[in-house]
Each structure stands twice: as C-alpha cells, then as structure tokens.
Amino acid sequence: MTYRLTPKIIYPIGNFKKIISGFWDKNSYDGEAWGTHLGVDIAAEAGTKIFSIGRGVVVYSKLHPGESTPDGKIAQRNWGGLVIIAHKEPKTKKIFYSVYGHLGKRYVKKGDLVEMGEFLGSVGGSLTESNGLWEREHLHFAIYEGPFHEKSLPGYHKRETNLTKLEYWRDPIKFIESYNKKFN
Ligand SMILES: [Zn+2]
C-alpha cells in the first residue's frame, strides 16, 4: 500500500452548514435504535460534488453491502455508494481514513492516488441503492483512525455487534480544524 502524506486537509463539500445529524448522535429511524452515529450527515441535493479532503490513496470504492435482512432482501439504510481514502499525517506518519457515504456516482477506484480537492463523486438520489435507500439525500462523512477492515466500518456503532470501537472515530469537523493547526 502506497500511503501518501497530506500536509493539509479541506472539507469534502462546499456547504457545511446543513448538518442534519451530528457526530456521536444516538440515532433512531422508524422507532428503531441505530446506535451511535460515527460521522456527520450533511444535507446535499443529488448530484452535489464531493471532493477528497487530502492527498491519499483510495482503499474502497463500491456499493457498501450493509446489513442484509434475514429474508436476503437488499440491504436498506446502509452507506450505499462508498469511498474510503487512506491518508498519512506528515509529522506523526499516522494513517487515518476519510469516509464518504451515499454517493450516487463514484469516479475513483481502489488503488487510485488522489490529490486534495480531487473530484471523487456526487451525492446519490433519495431512495436509490446508491444512497442506501434513505429518504433524505445527504453525504455521510467520517474520519477513522483504527485498523482498516472493510467489515469493521459501519456507519453506526452498536455495542452488541462488536464490529468497531468508538475510540477509532473522530469528530470530522473538529479533526479538520485541529489538523490544519497542528501541521501548519
Ligand atoms: Zn450518517
């Protein structure tokens, strides 16, 4: 794996004011508890362009399988079209990942080297497979600093599933702000 240093990072989307679900929120949908939200949801119309927050390498670009229902039907309310990029901090050399969910179109593939601000894809339309069959059109954006395994990266943390650990996840907004202060 060719990890690449990124001296700076930016927001993945132009308008960051419309956060509809914050980091660490306890989410429920249709009365069902979804657990702890491991990122932020940013309301954005279908087709809104999404950009890489920094220089890095694409480690995942496909439809996220999510959790299948017992009858084997298509997984609902998952991450849909998902891109994950690995980045390296310039001083600590620590690897971290930026996660972009519910993308209708993806223009990068696994192994691609990307630059900060590179066009990755666009937000998917509501109730499509690529937006994870959610009613609202939005970007799910998260920062992960744990070991990378595709299966351990759900959008929510449920203690009973033991798939991921809360300590691996960062508040993405605070992360971007402090990163640029720390390394510049
Ligand atoms: Zn989300």
Side-chain angles (χ1 to χ4, degrees):
M1 177 66 67
T2 322
Y3 291 116
R4 306 173 80 212
L5 298 173
T6 189
K8 197 182 166 215
I9 52 176
I10 57 170
Y11 295 116
I13 188 172
N15 185 357
F16 236 83
K17 289 175 186 150
K18 294 183 289 183
I19 290 178
I20 49 180
S21 179
F23 181 68
W24 244 228
D25 282 357
K26 301 281 181 198
N27 281 56
S28 62
Y29 198 90
D30 287 350
E32 191 188 338
W34 280 77
T36 304
H37 193 216
L38 301 174
V40 289
D41 287 345
I42 301 141
E45 287 171 18
T48 302
K49 288 182 174 182
I50 303 303
F51 307 97
S52 176
I53 66 163
R55 182 186 292 152
V57 56
V58 177
V59 294
Y60 191 100
S61 178
K62 56 184 174 184
L63 269 182
H64 188 251
E67 293 176 37
S68 309
T69 48
D71 57 8
K73 281 191 180 165
I74 182 175
Q76 292 195 353
R77 292 158 191 165
N78 61 8
W79 279 356
L82 180 67
V83 170
I84 301 174
I85 298 175
H87 312 273
K88 197 174 187 178
E89 289 183 355
K91 284 179 186 162
T92 62
K93 308 284 193 280
K94 208 170 162 185
I95 307 300
F96 67 98
Y97 300 86
S98 55
V99 178
Y100 315 81
H102 315 302
L103 300 185
K105 288 199 172 115
R106 289 170 285 112
Y107 297 110
V108 291
K109 60 183 190 310
K110 190 175 176 179
D112 282 355
L113 305 179
V114 293
E115 294 300 324
M116 184 177 77
E118 194 161 326
F119 181 32
L120 301 177
S122 54
V123 172
S126 70
L127 295 172
T128 59
E129 199 181 11
S130 63
N131 100 320
L133 297 175
W134 290 91
E135 275 144 33
R136 57 195 189 188
E137 295 170 354
H138 66 287
L139 171 72
H140 175 91
F141 173 54
I143 298 284
Y144 176 78
E145 287 195 309
F148 182 74
H149 302 291
E150 290 180 9
K151 281 187 177 170
S152 67
L153 292 165
Y156 294 91
H157 173 70
K158 291 180 188 170
R159 205 179 301 160
E160 61 275 19
T161 64
N162 214 21
L163 277 173
T164 190
K165 292 178 178 166
L166 292 178
E167 65 254 37
Y168 293 156
W169 298 85
R170 304 286 170 262
D171 180 326
I173 312 298
K174 286 185 187 156
F175 186 88
I176 290 173
E177 285 168 9
S178 70
Y179 191 96
N180 291 326
K181 278 182 201 148
K182 221 181 342 181
F183 299 116
N184 287 286

